[in-house]
Amino acid sequence: LLAGEIPYVLTRDFYAVTCVIGGMVHVFLTGLGCPHNLTTFFVTAFIIIMRVLAIRYHWKLPRPNP
C-alpha cells in the first residue's frame, strides 16, 4: 500500500484467492449446520488441495490490462 502497488500475492498466484474461496466454503458449510470440526477439516482440505493443484498445473490469475 505504501508503494502504491497491488501486492503480488493478490494479483498473480492463488495464495490469497484460495483462502478467500476457503472462507466462502466455511460460511456455506456453517450455514448448512455442519459441525465445527467437520467444517474445519473440509475447509482445510479444500485450501490445501486447491493450492497443490495451482502449483502442479501452474494456475495463475489473469493480469489486469494497464
Side-chain angles (χ1 to χ4, degrees):
L1 291 173
L2 295 175
E5 298 177 8
I6 299 174
Y8 179 79
V9 72
L10 296 176
T11 60
R12 190 81 173 132
D13 282 330
F14 271 73
Y15 299 112
V17 173
T18 305
C19 290
V20 169
I21 295 171
M24 289 189 282
V25 170
H26 185 275
V27 169
F28 177 74
L29 292 175
T30 302
L32 291 178
C34 288
H36 180 69
N37 291 340
L38 190 60
T39 300
T40 302
F41 171 77
F42 280 127
V43 169
T44 303
F46 175 80
I47 291 172
I48 291 170
I49 289 168
M50 289 298 295
R51 186 66 190 127
V52 168
L53 289 173
I55 292 169
R56 170 72 174 96
Y57 294 108
H58 305 286
W59 293 347
K60 303 286 183 197
L61 296 174
R63 297 198 84 158
N65 293 332

